[in-house]
Amino acid sequence: APVGLESDMDLSTPSRCRKRLKWLKGWISKLRDPNSTFSIGTEVLGVFVLLYDLVTVPYLLAWEVTYAGAVQVLACISLVFWTLDLCSSFIRGYYIDGELVLSFKAICRRYLKSWFALDFSIIFVEWLSMSIPSNDTNSDKSDSLQKAAKLGKMLRLLSALRIIRLARILETFMQRSISENMRLFIQISGMSFTFLWLNHLATCAWYTIGRAVPTDTGMRWIQRSWNFDGQLLLYTEAGMFY
């Protein structure tokens, strides 16, 4: 009986390995094919992760929100997603003149010559900034830690370059066989979001100027008040009346 049991185990082990290899090849083929449901779903998920990054990072930096708790968890999830996306870009196929290219060498060559340097730089800087403490408000911290915290915040600003990633995702969707109305909708949506995002970025930058830039009078615009029907309101609160 023990001999028979060992022979059954020997026969089942290669079978399990073949099944796992087949499963792995199936997922790789889905990832390589840009028209597969998995690839399209990944790109759609990437759009939502990208929108989250572009909206939250300027706000978190302008208002000096500490990267802790849920904010830190979401930042880590986003960074892991983009890291995996960087790796998958070496095997994901692409279209050229309407033809699908799945050659591994051609994919790697094209990615290394185009977007790899920018993608790798942003991801490397973000991993570096995640390792630097961001809360520099404690008075008992040394000057070196305070400088490191400020450096970490400035490095996170580079994530704003992912606005280029939005254009690349939209370009990928445009290469597919979609209707002219859908193409027009994608173009208008991309331009509208870019316009709103630039306004969001300018607003965060203006608030940062009012909060952190040195002043000769000792007053900042975020501290000034406005008389509205006998009620004093801060300028930061006046926007609700427009």
Tab-separated table of all heavy atoms in Angstrom, residues 24-36 38-39 42-43 83-95 100-112 116 165:
chain	number	residue	atom	x	y	z
A	24	LEU	N	-0.787	29.677	-15.520
A	24	LEU	CA	0.096	30.837	-15.599
A	24	LEU	C	0.211	31.338	-17.032
A	24	LEU	O	0.169	32.552	-17.286
A	24	LEU	CB	1.476	30.467	-15.053
A	24	LEU	CG	2.528	31.583	-15.021
A	24	LEU	CD1	2.046	32.737	-14.149
A	24	LEU	CD2	3.866	31.051	-14.517
A	25	LYS	N	0.336	30.425	-17.987
A	25	LYS	CA	0.408	30.831	-19.392
A	25	LYS	C	-0.882	31.511	-19.841
A	25	LYS	O	-0.857	32.447	-20.638
A	25	LYS	CB	0.693	29.609	-20.266
A	25	LYS	CG	2.099	29.056	-20.120
A	25	LYS	CD	2.302	27.849	-21.037
A	25	LYS	CE	3.721	27.288	-20.904
A	25	LYS	NZ	3.918	26.101	-21.768
A	26	GLY	N	-2.005	31.020	-19.311
A	26	GLY	CA	-3.282	31.646	-19.660
A	26	GLY	C	-3.362	33.090	-19.201
A	26	GLY	O	-3.806	33.968	-19.942
A	27	TRP	N	-2.918	33.343	-17.974
A	27	TRP	CA	-2.941	34.706	-17.456
A	27	TRP	C	-1.951	35.598	-18.192
A	27	TRP	O	-2.226	36.782	-18.441
A	27	TRP	CB	-2.645	34.704	-15.957
A	27	TRP	CG	-3.851	34.416	-15.140
A	27	TRP	CD1	-4.157	33.275	-14.468
A	27	TRP	CD2	-4.950	35.311	-14.908
A	27	TRP	NE1	-5.375	33.385	-13.844
A	27	TRP	CE2	-5.881	34.627	-14.089
A	27	TRP	CE3	-5.246	36.605	-15.318
A	27	TRP	CZ2	-7.068	35.210	-13.678
A	27	TRP	CZ3	-6.435	37.187	-14.907
A	27	TRP	CH2	-7.332	36.490	-14.093
A	28	ILE	N	-0.787	35.049	-18.545
A	28	ILE	CA	0.201	35.844	-19.285
A	28	ILE	C	-0.333	36.206	-20.670
A	28	ILE	O	-0.158	37.335	-21.145
A	28	ILE	CB	1.533	35.083	-19.389
A	28	ILE	CG1	2.183	34.966	-18.000
A	28	ILE	CG2	2.487	35.778	-20.358
A	28	ILE	CD1	3.474	34.173	-17.999
A	29	SER	N	-1.009	35.258	-21.303
A	29	SER	CA	-1.584	35.539	-22.622
A	29	SER	C	-2.668	36.601	-22.531
A	29	SER	O	-2.797	37.450	-23.413
A	29	SER	CB	-2.141	34.255	-23.231
A	29	SER	OG	-3.211	33.734	-22.437
A	30	LYS	N	-3.464	36.569	-21.453
A	30	LYS	CA	-4.479	37.599	-21.261
A	30	LYS	C	-3.839	38.959	-21.029
A	30	LYS	O	-4.345	39.984	-21.486
A	30	LYS	CB	-5.371	37.240	-20.070
A	30	LYS	CG	-6.269	36.038	-20.291
A	30	LYS	CD	-7.092	35.742	-19.059
A	30	LYS	CE	-7.978	34.514	-19.264
A	30	LYS	NZ	-8.766	34.204	-18.046
A	31	LEU	N	-2.721	38.961	-20.316
A	31	LEU	CA	-2.037	40.215	-20.038
A	31	LEU	C	-1.366	40.764	-21.283
A	31	LEU	O	-1.306	41.982	-21.490
A	31	LEU	CB	-1.006	40.003	-18.927
A	31	LEU	CG	-0.284	41.246	-18.394
A	31	LEU	CD1	-1.291	42.233	-17.820
A	31	LEU	CD2	0.730	40.848	-17.340
A	32	ARG	N	-0.869	39.885	-22.143
A	32	ARG	CA	-0.177	40.323	-23.350
A	32	ARG	C	-1.145	40.877	-24.384
A	32	ARG	O	-0.809	41.796	-25.131
A	32	ARG	CB	0.611	39.163	-23.957
A	32	ARG	CG	1.753	38.663	-23.095
A	32	ARG	CD	2.579	37.655	-23.853
A	32	ARG	NE	3.262	38.281	-24.987
A	32	ARG	CZ	3.874	37.602	-25.945
A	32	ARG	NH1	3.851	36.281	-25.928
A	32	ARG	NH2	4.490	38.228	-26.927
A	33	ASP	N	-2.336	40.329	-24.430
A	33	ASP	CA	-3.317	40.755	-25.426
A	33	ASP	C	-4.031	42.011	-24.931
A	33	ASP	O	-4.785	41.966	-23.962
A	33	ASP	CB	-4.334	39.645	-25.670
A	33	ASP	CG	-5.305	39.999	-26.784
A	33	ASP	OD1	-5.122	41.058	-27.413
A	33	ASP	OD2	-6.240	39.218	-27.021
A	34	PRO	N	-3.828	43.165	-25.561
A	34	PRO	CA	-4.473	44.405	-25.091
A	34	PRO	C	-5.984	44.403	-25.276
A	34	PRO	O	-6.668	45.245	-24.703
A	34	PRO	CB	-3.802	45.490	-25.942
A	34	PRO	CG	-3.323	44.779	-27.156
A	34	PRO	CD	-2.974	43.391	-26.725
A	35	ASN	N	-6.513	43.446	-26.074
A	35	ASN	CA	-7.954	43.387	-26.288
A	35	ASN	C	-8.654	42.441	-25.320
A	35	ASN	O	-9.880	42.323	-25.362
A	35	ASN	CB	-8.252	42.928	-27.723
A	35	ASN	CG	-7.955	44.022	-28.723
A	35	ASN	OD1	-8.206	45.187	-28.471
A	35	ASN	ND2	-7.397	43.639	-29.857
A	36	SER	N	-7.892	41.740	-24.475
A	36	SER	CA	-8.511	40.807	-23.544
A	36	SER	C	-9.273	41.558	-22.463
A	36	SER	O	-8.999	42.729	-22.163
A	36	SER	CB	-7.445	39.918	-22.896
A	36	SER	OG	-6.582	40.680	-22.073
A	38	PHE	N	-9.158	41.048	-19.331
A	38	PHE	CA	-8.264	41.343	-18.214
A	38	PHE	C	-7.467	42.624	-18.467
A	38	PHE	O	-7.334	43.469	-17.571
A	38	PHE	CB	-7.306	40.168	-17.993
A	38	PHE	CG	-6.344	40.363	-16.871
A	38	PHE	CD1	-6.735	40.204	-15.546
A	38	PHE	CD2	-5.031	40.727	-17.130
A	38	PHE	CE1	-5.847	40.400	-14.505
A	38	PHE	CE2	-4.128	40.913	-16.102
A	38	PHE	CZ	-4.532	40.755	-14.785
A	39	SER	N	-6.936	42.789	-19.677
A	39	SER	CA	-6.154	43.988	-19.999
A	39	SER	C	-7.017	45.243	-19.971
A	39	SER	O	-6.617	46.281	-19.443
A	39	SER	CB	-5.489	43.825	-21.366
A	39	SER	OG	-4.550	42.785	-21.353
A	42	THR	N	-7.788	46.086	-16.431
A	42	THR	CA	-6.620	46.683	-15.780
A	42	THR	C	-6.457	48.145	-16.163
A	42	THR	O	-6.123	48.993	-15.324
A	42	THR	CB	-5.347	45.901	-16.162
A	42	THR	OG1	-5.500	44.530	-15.796
A	42	THR	CG2	-4.132	46.460	-15.446
A	43	GLU	N	-6.692	48.459	-17.430
A	43	GLU	CA	-6.581	49.847	-17.874
A	43	GLU	C	-7.657	50.716	-17.239
A	43	GLU	O	-7.395	51.862	-16.850
A	43	GLU	CB	-6.666	49.911	-19.392
A	43	GLU	CG	-5.443	49.340	-20.091
A	43	GLU	CD	-5.569	49.408	-21.593
A	43	GLU	OE1	-6.626	49.868	-22.073
A	43	GLU	OE2	-4.621	48.998	-22.290
A	83	THR	N	3.794	49.862	-9.726
A	83	THR	CA	4.987	49.029	-9.844
A	83	THR	C	4.690	47.773	-10.662
A	83	THR	O	5.480	47.377	-11.540
A	83	THR	CB	5.508	48.638	-8.450
A	83	THR	OG1	5.761	49.823	-7.680
A	83	THR	CG2	6.790	47.838	-8.552
A	84	LEU	N	3.545	47.130	-10.384
A	84	LEU	CA	3.144	45.963	-11.163
A	84	LEU	C	2.849	46.341	-12.611
A	84	LEU	O	3.139	45.575	-13.541
A	84	LEU	CB	1.913	45.303	-10.524
A	84	LEU	CG	2.118	44.702	-9.140
A	84	LEU	CD1	0.798	44.179	-8.587
A	84	LEU	CD2	3.152	43.582	-9.175
A	85	ASP	N	2.295	47.530	-12.795
A	85	ASP	CA	2.011	47.994	-14.152
A	85	ASP	C	3.305	48.206	-14.927
A	85	ASP	O	3.366	47.925	-16.139
A	85	ASP	CB	1.206	49.293	-14.088
A	85	ASP	CG	0.864	49.818	-15.466
A	85	ASP	OD1	-0.066	49.271	-16.086
A	85	ASP	OD2	1.522	50.780	-15.916
A	86	LEU	N	4.336	48.702	-14.249
A	86	LEU	CA	5.640	48.858	-14.891
A	86	LEU	C	6.179	47.514	-15.364
A	86	LEU	O	6.676	47.390	-16.495
A	86	LEU	CB	6.621	49.505	-13.915
A	86	LEU	CG	8.089	49.564	-14.345
A	86	LEU	CD1	8.264	50.547	-15.493
A	86	LEU	CD2	8.985	49.951	-13.184
A	87	CYS	N	6.073	46.501	-14.527
A	87	CYS	CA	6.567	45.164	-14.890
A	87	CYS	C	5.763	44.575	-16.051
A	87	CYS	O	6.330	43.965	-16.972
A	87	CYS	CB	6.512	44.236	-13.684
A	87	CYS	SG	7.553	44.746	-12.296
A	88	SER	N	4.446	44.759	-16.019
A	88	SER	CA	3.601	44.185	-17.073
A	88	SER	C	3.787	44.880	-18.414
A	88	SER	O	3.450	44.315	-19.462
A	88	SER	CB	2.125	44.251	-16.658
A	88	SER	OG	1.689	45.602	-16.555
A	89	SER	N	4.335	46.094	-18.392
A	89	SER	CA	4.543	46.824	-19.649
A	89	SER	C	5.589	46.162	-20.536
A	89	SER	O	5.653	46.452	-21.730
A	89	SER	CB	4.960	48.274	-19.350
A	89	SER	OG	3.931	48.966	-18.671
A	90	PHE	N	6.415	45.266	-19.964
A	90	PHE	CA	7.433	44.576	-20.743
A	90	PHE	C	6.863	43.397	-21.526
A	90	PHE	O	7.565	42.836	-22.380
A	90	PHE	CB	8.555	44.077	-19.825
A	90	PHE	CG	9.488	45.162	-19.376
A	90	PHE	CD1	9.336	45.742	-18.127
A	90	PHE	CD2	10.502	45.612	-20.202
A	90	PHE	CE1	10.195	46.737	-17.705
A	90	PHE	CE2	11.371	46.613	-19.795
A	90	PHE	CZ	11.218	47.178	-18.544
A	91	ILE	N	5.628	43.006	-21.242
A	91	ILE	CA	5.037	41.871	-21.959
A	91	ILE	C	3.708	42.231	-22.605
A	91	ILE	O	3.120	41.397	-23.293
A	91	ILE	CB	4.833	40.665	-21.010
A	91	ILE	CG1	3.895	41.027	-19.862
A	91	ILE	CG2	6.163	40.148	-20.491
A	91	ILE	CD1	3.564	39.846	-18.971
A	92	ARG	N	3.204	43.441	-22.392
A	92	ARG	CA	1.906	43.825	-22.942
A	92	ARG	C	2.061	44.224	-24.400
A	92	ARG	O	2.896	45.057	-24.749
A	92	ARG	CB	1.311	44.977	-22.149
A	92	ARG	CG	-0.122	45.315	-22.561
A	92	ARG	CD	-0.659	46.499	-21.781
A	92	ARG	NE	-0.659	46.234	-20.365
A	92	ARG	CZ	-0.037	46.991	-19.467
A	92	ARG	NH1	0.650	48.045	-19.867
A	92	ARG	NH2	-0.106	46.702	-18.185
A	93	GLY	N	1.248	43.625	-25.263
A	93	GLY	CA	1.307	43.917	-26.686
A	93	GLY	C	0.809	45.314	-27.008
A	93	GLY	O	0.226	46.005	-26.175
A	94	TYR	N	1.034	45.712	-28.246
A	94	TYR	CA	0.618	47.047	-28.689
A	94	TYR	C	0.270	46.994	-30.173
A	94	TYR	O	0.586	46.027	-30.876
A	94	TYR	CB	1.724	48.071	-28.441
A	94	TYR	CG	3.001	47.819	-29.219
A	94	TYR	CD1	3.233	48.431	-30.448
A	94	TYR	CD2	3.979	46.957	-28.721
A	94	TYR	CE1	4.388	48.197	-31.166
A	94	TYR	CE2	5.143	46.719	-29.429
A	94	TYR	CZ	5.344	47.348	-30.652
A	94	TYR	OH	6.490	47.106	-31.356
A	95	TYR	N	-0.383	48.041	-30.625
A	95	TYR	CA	-0.796	48.134	-32.020
A	95	TYR	C	0.110	49.107	-32.764
A	95	TYR	O	0.510	50.139	-32.231
A	95	TYR	CB	-2.244	48.620	-32.115
A	95	TYR	CG	-3.263	47.558	-31.803
A	95	TYR	CD1	-3.765	47.412	-30.515
A	95	TYR	CD2	-3.712	46.692	-32.795
A	95	TYR	CE1	-4.701	46.437	-30.226
A	95	TYR	CE2	-4.652	45.711	-32.519
A	95	TYR	CZ	-5.139	45.592	-31.229
A	95	TYR	OH	-6.056	44.614	-30.946
A	100	LEU	N	-1.467	44.022	-34.422
A	100	LEU	CA	-1.105	43.716	-33.043
A	100	LEU	C	0.289	43.095	-33.009
A	100	LEU	O	0.570	42.117	-33.693
A	100	LEU	CB	-2.120	42.754	-32.432
A	100	LEU	CG	-1.871	42.313	-30.987
A	100	LEU	CD1	-1.862	43.503	-30.044
A	100	LEU	CD2	-2.917	41.294	-30.558
A	101	VAL	N	1.167	43.686	-32.187
A	101	VAL	CA	2.540	43.198	-32.035
A	101	VAL	C	2.660	42.518	-30.676
A	101	VAL	O	2.393	43.130	-29.644
A	101	VAL	CB	3.557	44.350	-32.136
A	101	VAL	CG1	4.984	43.834	-31.930
A	101	VAL	CG2	3.428	45.057	-33.470
A	102	LEU	N	3.052	41.246	-30.684
A	102	LEU	CA	3.202	40.472	-29.451
A	102	LEU	C	4.627	39.952	-29.254
A	102	LEU	O	4.876	39.178	-28.321
A	102	LEU	CB	2.228	39.289	-29.447
A	102	LEU	CG	0.738	39.647	-29.402
A	102	LEU	CD1	-0.109	38.384	-29.494
A	102	LEU	CD2	0.403	40.425	-28.144
A	103	SER	N	5.546	40.377	-30.084
A	103	SER	CA	6.933	39.939	-29.956
A	103	SER	C	7.537	40.518	-28.672
A	103	SER	O	7.486	41.734	-28.431
A	103	SER	CB	7.745	40.394	-31.166
A	103	SER	OG	9.128	40.149	-30.960
A	104	PHE	N	8.105	39.629	-27.859
A	104	PHE	CA	8.666	40.061	-26.574
A	104	PHE	C	9.800	41.064	-26.775
A	104	PHE	O	9.875	42.085	-26.077
A	104	PHE	CB	9.161	38.847	-25.794
A	104	PHE	CG	9.783	39.188	-24.465
A	104	PHE	CD1	8.992	39.592	-23.397
A	104	PHE	CD2	11.153	39.115	-24.293
A	104	PHE	CE1	9.572	39.924	-22.182
A	104	PHE	CE2	11.736	39.433	-23.090
A	104	PHE	CZ	10.942	39.840	-22.023
A	105	LYS	N	10.683	40.802	-27.737
A	105	LYS	CA	11.798	41.719	-27.984
A	105	LYS	C	11.308	43.071	-28.473
A	105	LYS	O	11.814	44.120	-28.051
A	105	LYS	CB	12.760	41.097	-29.005
A	105	LYS	CG	13.523	39.894	-28.493
A	105	LYS	CD	14.504	39.391	-29.537
A	105	LYS	CE	15.301	38.196	-29.006
A	105	LYS	NZ	16.264	37.670	-30.011
A	106	ALA	N	10.318	43.047	-29.369
A	106	ALA	CA	9.790	44.305	-29.892
A	106	ALA	C	9.101	45.115	-28.798
A	106	ALA	O	9.244	46.345	-28.737
A	106	ALA	CB	8.817	44.024	-31.035
A	107	ILE	N	8.371	44.432	-27.907
A	107	ILE	CA	7.679	45.122	-26.812
A	107	ILE	C	8.687	45.762	-25.863
A	107	ILE	O	8.558	46.934	-25.486
A	107	ILE	CB	6.772	44.135	-26.054
A	107	ILE	CG1	5.625	43.661	-26.959
A	107	ILE	CG2	6.205	44.785	-24.798
A	107	ILE	CD1	4.807	42.539	-26.352
A	108	CYS	N	9.709	45.005	-25.479
A	108	CYS	CA	10.727	45.529	-24.562
A	108	CYS	C	11.480	46.695	-25.195
A	108	CYS	O	11.723	47.721	-24.544
A	108	CYS	CB	11.709	44.432	-24.169
A	108	CYS	SG	11.015	43.144	-23.124
A	109	ARG	N	11.860	46.548	-26.461
A	109	ARG	CA	12.599	47.603	-27.143
A	109	ARG	C	11.773	48.881	-27.221
A	109	ARG	O	12.279	49.983	-26.977
A	109	ARG	CB	12.999	47.140	-28.543
A	109	ARG	CG	13.966	48.084	-29.244
A	109	ARG	CD	14.251	47.648	-30.663
A	109	ARG	NE	14.766	46.283	-30.706
A	109	ARG	CZ	14.117	45.253	-31.220
A	109	ARG	NH1	12.893	45.448	-31.730
A	109	ARG	NH2	14.634	44.053	-31.235
A	110	ARG	N	10.511	48.728	-27.553
A	110	ARG	CA	9.643	49.901	-27.681
A	110	ARG	C	9.435	50.582	-26.337
A	110	ARG	O	9.494	51.820	-26.234
A	110	ARG	CB	8.286	49.473	-28.257
A	110	ARG	CG	7.265	50.591	-28.396
A	110	ARG	CD	6.008	50.042	-29.039
A	110	ARG	NE	5.010	51.067	-29.243
A	110	ARG	CZ	4.025	51.338	-28.385
A	110	ARG	NH1	3.928	50.633	-27.247
A	110	ARG	NH2	3.144	52.282	-28.641
A	111	TYR	N	9.221	49.805	-25.278
A	111	TYR	CA	8.973	50.396	-23.954
A	111	TYR	C	10.224	51.057	-23.392
A	111	TYR	O	10.152	52.142	-22.802
A	111	TYR	CB	8.466	49.327	-22.992
A	111	TYR	CG	8.087	49.865	-21.640
A	111	TYR	CD1	7.175	50.907	-21.513
A	111	TYR	CD2	8.635	49.334	-20.480
A	111	TYR	CE1	6.829	51.414	-20.266
A	111	TYR	CE2	8.293	49.823	-19.227
A	111	TYR	CZ	7.398	50.865	-19.136
A	111	TYR	OH	7.066	51.360	-17.905
A	112	LEU	N	11.390	50.425	-23.578
A	112	LEU	CA	12.638	50.995	-23.070
A	112	LEU	C	12.988	52.304	-23.779
A	112	LEU	O	13.576	53.207	-23.167
A	112	LEU	CB	13.785	49.989	-23.233
A	112	LEU	CG	13.754	48.773	-22.311
A	112	LEU	CD1	14.842	47.785	-22.692
A	112	LEU	CD2	13.898	49.199	-20.856
A	116	PHE	N	9.766	54.009	-20.406
A	116	PHE	CA	10.351	53.325	-19.253
A	116	PHE	C	11.086	54.286	-18.320
A	116	PHE	O	10.938	54.210	-17.094
A	116	PHE	CB	11.312	52.226	-19.719
A	116	PHE	CG	12.100	51.620	-18.588
A	116	PHE	CD1	11.506	50.729	-17.709
A	116	PHE	CD2	13.430	51.958	-18.396
A	116	PHE	CE1	12.215	50.182	-16.660
A	116	PHE	CE2	14.163	51.410	-17.356
A	116	PHE	CZ	13.560	50.521	-16.480
A	165	ARG	N	0.392	59.911	-18.159
A	165	ARG	CA	-0.122	58.538	-18.212
A	165	ARG	C	-1.567	58.530	-18.666
A	165	ARG	O	-2.001	57.620	-19.394
A	165	ARG	CB	-0.007	57.904	-16.829
A	165	ARG	CG	-0.566	56.500	-16.721
A	165	ARG	CD	0.339	55.500	-17.383
A	165	ARG	NE	-0.202	54.160	-17.323
A	165	ARG	CZ	0.447	53.086	-17.734
A	165	ARG	NH1	1.659	53.185	-18.227
A	165	ARG	NH2	-0.111	51.898	-17.654
